[in-house]
Amino acid sequence: MDSLNLQNRLTATLSGKPGPNGGCIFSSSEQTVTAGSAAGYSEEIAFNPKTCQETVVSGTLSAADEAKLNASSAQSSLSPTAGSRTNATAAPTRKGAVANPADYWSETAFEKNSYVDPLDITIVSLAPNISWTANGSTITSYSNAYAVPYAFQYDGWSSSGVSFSWNGCVNCENLQLNSSDTWRNTDFEAVIVATMGAAGYAACGFNSDPAVFQLSPFIRAGNNGSFAWGYNSPSGAAGGCSNLVHFRENHGFGNGS
C-alpha cells in the first residue's frame, strides 16, 4: 500500500465472526460508485484473530495505481491462470418486460478481492467483471459477465473453482453478479518453517492446518450508470500461517483481473 498514492484516505474498524475452519469470516457493507468516479481501494492494516476485528484503510486511486494493482496478479507471466476467465451463466430475464427507450448508459466495472503476504506479493485473488447498458429505469442488457481467479504459482494450491449466482435481472432496476472461490494450501507453512525454523512455526501461530482462503466478491450493475460492490460471507482466511497475510480490495470502472 505504501507504493500507492491513495487519496481521500479513511480508517475504519470492521468486525467479523468466527468461521468453521478456526479463522474469522467477514462480509462488507455495500458501497455504491457513481458514473465517472475514481477507482477505489481498501487494505487491512491490523487484525485481531481473538476478537475477529480488523482495521482497514480505504481511499481512491489514480489510473496508474489501478493498473499497477491489476498487473500484480492475474496478468503476471508467473501465474498459471494468467489471463484466464471463468464465464458466468446467463442472467435471469424478467418475463413480460415492456420495450425500453434507447439506452443511454453503457458501462463496464469490476470488484477485486485479494490476500497479500508481508512482502506485498498477491497470494490469491478473485475479480468479477460485468458490462451492461441501462436507460435510467432498468438494465436493458449485459455482456462479458466473468471472473478472473488467481493463485501464486510457486505454492501448492488447490481450488474449489469459481462459482456464480445472480440477483436481479435484465429489465430490472439492477443486476448483481456474485462470485466465490476457495483455495487450500499445504506448502505455505512448510516453506516458512523450513526457512525460519521454530520462529517460523511460532509466527504461524503454531497452527499446522492447511491454509484456507475464501473470497466472495460481488458487482452490481445499476440502472443509472452506477455500480455497487462488496463481498459476501464467507470471505476469510484460516489455517497455518494465514495470520501472516492481509486482505485487499479494489474496484472501478473498466476491466479488472
Side-chain angles (χ1 to χ4, degrees), residues 29-228:
S29 58
E30 181 181 296
Q31 306 289 328
T32 300
V33 181
T34 57
S37 296
Y41 176 90
S42 64
E43 183 169 333
E44 176 188 272
I45 59 171
F47 173 61
N48 186 332
K50 294 182 179 180
T51 62
C52 282
Q53 288 187 319
E54 61 179 359
T55 302
V56 175
V57 171
S58 62
T60 56
L61 293 171
S62 67
D65 281 338
E66 184 181 6
K68 184 187 302 182
L69 285 174
N70 277 331
S72 69
S73 57
Q75 294 177 352
S76 168
S77 61
L78 299 178
S79 168
T81 57
S84 65
R85 298 181 179 184
T86 303
N87 294 319
T89 56
T93 300
R94 189 175 61 190
K95 296 181 179 179
V98 298
N100 293 302
D103 298 340
Y104 61 86
W105 291 105
S106 181
E107 301 286 0
T108 296
F110 72 93
E111 157 69 356
K112 180 178 180 179
N113 289 181
S114 310
Y115 277 106
V116 183
D117 76 4
L119 298 178
D120 206 36
I121 296 172
T122 299
I123 300 297
V124 294
S125 67
L126 183 62
N129 290 250
I130 190 170
S131 298
W132 75 101
T133 57
N135 63 12
S137 298
T138 65
I139 302 295
T140 55
S141 67
Y142 84 97
S143 62
N144 295 326
Y146 64 91
V148 182
Y150 169 83
F152 184 64
Q153 184 179 22
Y154 298 114
D155 286 321
W157 294 101
S158 63
S159 168
S160 66
V162 180
S163 61
F164 296 100
S165 64
W166 291 97
N167 295 110
C169 64
V170 177
N171 296 317
C172 292
E173 290 185 0
N174 53 67
L175 178 63
Q176 178 170 315
L177 175 63
N178 305 295
S179 65
S180 182
D181 203 344
T182 300
W183 293 266
R184 299 178 67 85
N185 184 289
T186 56
D187 291 351
F188 190 35
E189 182 178 43
V191 171
I192 293 176
V193 173
T195 303
M196 302 175 59
Y201 189 43
C204 292
F206 300 103
N207 187 340
S208 59
D209 293 336
V212 179
F213 300 95
Q214 297 173 294
L215 295 173
S216 302
F218 69 82
I219 186 83
R220 187 170 74 241
N223 62 1
N224 61 354
S226 66
F227 72 90

Side-chain angles (χ1 to χ4, degrees), residues 2-29:
D2 292 340
S3 64
L4 301 174
N5 185 25
L6 196 63
Q7 303 295 312
N8 305 308
R9 182 183 293 244
L10 296 173
T11 302
T13 299
L14 304 179
S15 297
K17 59 183 180 180
N21 296 311
C24 296
I25 291 176
F26 289 89
S27 60
S28 71
S29 58

